[in-house]
Amino acid sequence: HDRRCRAESHGSPGNLLDLYAAADIPETEMFNKDRDPLASKFASSAAHVMGKECVASETGTWLREHFQEKLADLKNLVDDLFVSGIDQIFYHATCYSPADAPWPGWLFYASTEMNPRNAIWHDVPIFNEYIARCQELFQSSKPDNDVLLYWPIHDLWHKAGGMEMNLTIHKRYWLDEQSIGPAARRLWQKGYEFDYISARQLAALRVTGDGIAAPGGTYRAILVPRCVHIPVETMHTLRALADAGAPVIFEGAVPDDVPGFDRLDERRAALRALTKDAPFKAGDDFEALLDAAGIVREPLADTPGLFHIRYKHEEGNLYFLANRGEEEIVSYLPLARPAMGAVLLDPMTGQTGVAALREENGRATVFVRLAPGESRLVRTYAARKADGPYWHYFRTGGDPIPIEGTWRVEFVAGGPTLPKPFETASLGSWTTLAHDPAAEAFAGTARYTISFDIPPDRGGDAWRLDLGKVAESARVRLNGTDIGAAIAPPFQVDIPQEKVQRTGNTLEIEVTNLSANRIRDLDRRGVTWRTFNDINFVNIDYKPFDASDWPVLDSGLLGPVTMIPLLEADIPR
């Protein structure tokens, strides 16, 4: 009917790679803490191999309990999806709710409540800009993977009941307990860039002067993980590709049996004939066989805590880097692809600049500074220098300067009612500092205002405003000018030197909390707010939802707030 189809194929007993590829937009999901980029790569692999325009994800299902989901949680989830090859995010789930429906409106069972009633909505535009900047570059680039990892699904199907099992994204026995799972994890951890491929998709490959051409891109090797059974037709395809010059590598040994029992002797004989004197490579150490085939692994995988994915564009490559570790990454990072120039982009702020790039041991390296939780996009150019202003690499230029004095706190948006403003010399949760019963149930935004001076003997090339602990997101204005926002740790904003006065600075920080305390208050007072009549509104364990026994969550600016002088680091370029 000439209509585009977006489909989540997991949950089906068929070959997921073929079913994902049947959709115009293959779609995956991640659920709560049970998520694995290697499972989501099944959807992106189908898109990459078969040339689909984009690959999507249902995003935000059960990250935490209702009304306790943070933008920081969503940011970590989206980064997991991005490194899985996902380039189109949509939120799950937002119900239609009439404008006159009392707070929290009409809600269905699954979080996250990505709608204007939820307090976190105040700073969702900041997060959406982060996603948009990443997706724009991902969707305008092409996949750049070297290895095709065959899924020997017939070993699973050959087992009793194997074809009756639903291959869900959450119970991943079909991945973790089959040979493809450990093989994929070894490739992932060693930095071999790969996509999965099915037997049906193998048949669409051809060997060219550039490599192994698939409908969606070109690869350089095919890896078959350990398997016992392989169809004759699949082996025929692999033999033809190998005879044409494609590196075809088998982990362990070349399989010597066929699935099923129909014409068993005839098919076994055909399989033996196809494997006799075939130019295959086989062995337990498939990394060595990939190296021998000229596959260069991505050394970014060697940096602890660093997640990455690589794309390509007409002049070079695009890398997405996410620091998922607990330590700051401050280093020249080696790249597998050649580069003469590189540009950095902070997708959270939109800041860009030419990166420091140098050659080490015949390999291009790019200097990156990434705090835990931060992400960067790196756009490299293989045959030219990058143009534009340099990226600012700052280092600490002295001890932090505490922002001390009296904070005025005003509640500016939210409900059920706005608590009374108050003043405080020490920061903490507004639920206790306000001395107003309304503050305990409040969900929304408060503005913290203070004046401060900079000591005459302190300064540098720029400043970093460190907000300390924030519950849960913040927007910052200095002397009447918006200077940035922070929706996830580290809650820091860099400020140009010229924006900071020696005396009489006015700092305003708008902090938005979660809606958990407000929904707790409704349930404690027995207010009826659940609307739907079927599954209605359940908790994260799919039991009746009741927030009345929740503790009051900290809210607001918890601090300490400091100004850190910064100096330009002397980074060789």
Side-chain angles (χ1 to χ4, degrees):
H1 297 285
D2 196 28
R3 295 292 185 268
R4 301 184 72 197
C5 169
R6 184 181 70 200
E8 295 184 11
S9 298
H10 46 266
S12 302
N15 191 311
L16 299 187
L17 293 170
D18 295 332
L19 296 171
Y20 279 127
D24 296 294
I25 303 176
E27 180 180 305
T28 187
E29 66 172 304
M30 287 186 177
F31 188 87
N32 194 251
K33 300 297 187 290
D34 176 26
R35 58 203 204 209
D36 187 347
L38 294 179
S40 292
K41 274 181 69 70
F42 274 72
S44 63
S45 292
H48 295 168
V49 170
M50 300 310 293
K52 303 297 178 177
E53 184 176 307
C54 57
V55 54
S57 175
E58 169 193 321
T59 304
T61 308
W62 290 133
L63 292 180
R64 293 178 187 250
E65 188 54 271
H66 288 288
F67 303 104
Q68 295 188 22
E69 311 93 346
K70 306 176 183 181
L71 292 178
D73 298 327
L74 283 161
K75 196 266 185 187
N76 287 337
L77 170 67
V78 165
D79 286 353
D80 284 350
L81 291 166
F82 283 162
V83 299
S84 306
I86 307 307
D87 61 14
Q88 187 182 83
I89 299 296
F90 74 95
Y91 297 126
H92 180 270
T94 299
C95 302
Y96 168 76
S97 185
D100 59 355
W103 193 91
W106 292 3
L107 299 173
F108 197 43
Y109 82 101
S111 56
T112 299
E113 282 75 40
M114 296 298 284
N115 63 67
R117 306 295 184 92
N118 196 347
I120 67 172
W121 190 261
H122 181 267
D123 289 330
V124 163
I126 300 166
F127 182 48
N128 283 347
E129 289 177 0
Y130 171 82
I131 294 174
R133 292 183 183 109
C134 293
Q135 289 188 171
E136 179 181 5
L137 289 176
F138 296 157
Q139 293 179 17
S140 62
S141 304
K142 299 293 183 183
D144 187 29
N145 296 324
D146 294 319
V147 179
L148 289 166
L149 179 61
Y150 170 69
W151 187 13
I153 195 172
H154 288 86
D155 274 1
L156 175 65
W157 285 349
H158 198 76
K159 297 178 179 179
M163 295 190 73
E164 298 174 2
M165 298 179 182
N166 286 336
L167 307 185
T168 73
I169 202 79
H170 310 304
K171 296 179 180 179
R172 298 182 296 272
Y173 62 89
W174 51 271
L175 174 65
D176 299 332
E177 298 175 12
Q178 304 297 313
S179 63
I180 191 171
R185 206 161 300 280
R186 282 172 64 183
L187 292 171
W188 176 273
Q189 292 172 349
K190 293 292 186 179
Y192 292 97
E193 308 298 302
F194 71 95
D195 281 319
Y196 303 109
I197 192 168
S198 71
R200 179 191 295 264
Q201 293 162 2
L202 280 173
L205 303 181
R206 58 189 179 87
V207 178
T208 70
D210 296 325
I212 306 168
T218 301
Y219 298 83
R220 301 191 60 199
I222 300 168
L223 174 62
V224 180
R226 297 181 190 277
C227 60
V228 176
H229 307 93
I230 193 166
V232 171
E233 296 81 4
T234 303
M235 186 61 80
H236 184 274
T237 298
L238 291 171
R239 175 65 189 264
L241 291 167
D243 287 342
V248 178
I249 298 167
F250 288 84
E251 180 188 13
V254 178
D256 60 1
D257 205 356
V258 294
F261 296 99
D262 179 48
R263 299 178 290 110
L264 183 59
D265 292 339
E266 175 187 338
R267 289 187 296 117
R268 281 176 169 168
L271 185 67
R272 287 194 296 270
L274 285 169
T275 58
K276 183 179 180 181
D277 299 326
F280 298 144
K281 303 295 182 182
D284 293 334
D285 188 0
F286 63 68
E287 292 101 326
L289 296 174
L290 289 170
D291 293 345
I295 308 303
V296 179
R297 69 184 193 87
E298 187 58 72
L300 290 168
D302 297 337
T303 302
L306 184 66
F307 282 17
H308 78 276
I309 189 170
R310 184 182 70 207
Y311 292 86
K312 61 184 176 182
H313 58 89
E314 291 183 355
E315 293 190 83
N317 287 93
L318 173 71
Y319 292 87
F320 173 77
L321 310 178
N323 184 358
R324 301 302 301 277
E326 298 179 357
E327 302 294 332
E328 185 179 31
I329 296 171
V330 185
S331 177
Y332 276 97
L333 299 179
L335 305 176
R337 296 293 195 243
M340 289 184 61
V343 174
L344 294 177
L345 166 66
D346 180 351
M348 188 62 72
T349 65
Q351 175 189 352
T352 63
V354 175
L357 196 73
R358 71 183 185 190
E359 184 177 303
E360 293 182 8
N361 301 318
R363 189 186 294 264
T365 66
V366 60
F367 192 84
V368 172
R369 183 187 295 270
L370 273 179
E374 283 191 320
S375 309
R376 291 286 183 274
L377 288 157
V378 185
R379 186 179 176 92
T380 65
Y381 299 88
R384 70 173 177 89
K385 300 287 187 180
D387 300 323
Y390 282 148
W391 178 267
H392 291 292
Y393 293 103
F394 290 121
R395 62 178 177 85
T396 301
D399 295 333
I401 301 170
I403 303 298
E404 297 176 326
T406 299
W407 293 86
R408 176 169 175 79
V409 184
E410 303 170 88
F411 295 88
V412 296
T417 60
L418 296 182
K420 294 178 293 186
F422 66 94
E423 294 185 349
T424 181
S426 60
L427 293 171
S429 177
W430 71 48
T431 59
T432 56
L433 290 179
H435 301 294
D436 182 346
E440 188 173 281
F442 179 74
T445 303
R447 181 186 301 118
Y448 292 70
T449 305
I450 196 170
S451 296
F452 70 95
D453 301 332
I454 295 295
D457 60 338
R458 304 294 301 276
D461 298 319
W463 293 91
R464 176 164 294 151
L465 176 66
D466 189 329
L467 302 180
K469 186 176 181 181
V470 175
E472 295 297 333
S473 59
R475 298 182 183 227
V476 180
R477 289 172 62 86
L478 182 64
N479 301 323
T481 301
D482 293 329
I483 60 169
I487 64 169
F491 291 102
Q492 298 174 335
V493 177
D494 287 356
I495 309 172
Q497 176 67 42
E498 63 272 15
K499 300 290 186 181
V500 181
Q501 303 168 177
R502 278 292 166 188
T503 60
N505 291 284
T506 300
L507 176 64
E508 299 170 275
I509 306 171
E510 285 191 356
V511 180
T512 301
N513 73 335
L514 305 177
S515 292
N517 291 341
R518 185 171 179 180
I519 207 73
R520 170 187 179 272
D521 176 67
L522 289 182
D523 278 353
R524 287 173 67 86
R525 292 191 288 114
V527 175
T528 299
W529 56 270
R530 299 159 181 82
T531 302
F532 291 143
N533 293 321
D534 49 7
I535 193 171
N536 207 311
F537 203 76
V538 293
N539 68 15
I540 199 168
D541 298 315
Y542 286 75
K543 302 290 174 47
F545 179 91
D546 182 6
S548 62
D549 61 349
W550 287 3
V552 176
L553 297 186
D554 284 347
S555 301
L557 182 61
L558 310 182
V561 179
T562 58
M563 289 284 282
I564 304 171
L566 302 177
L567 297 175
E568 285 276 5
D570 185 17
I571 306 297
R573 297 179 182 268

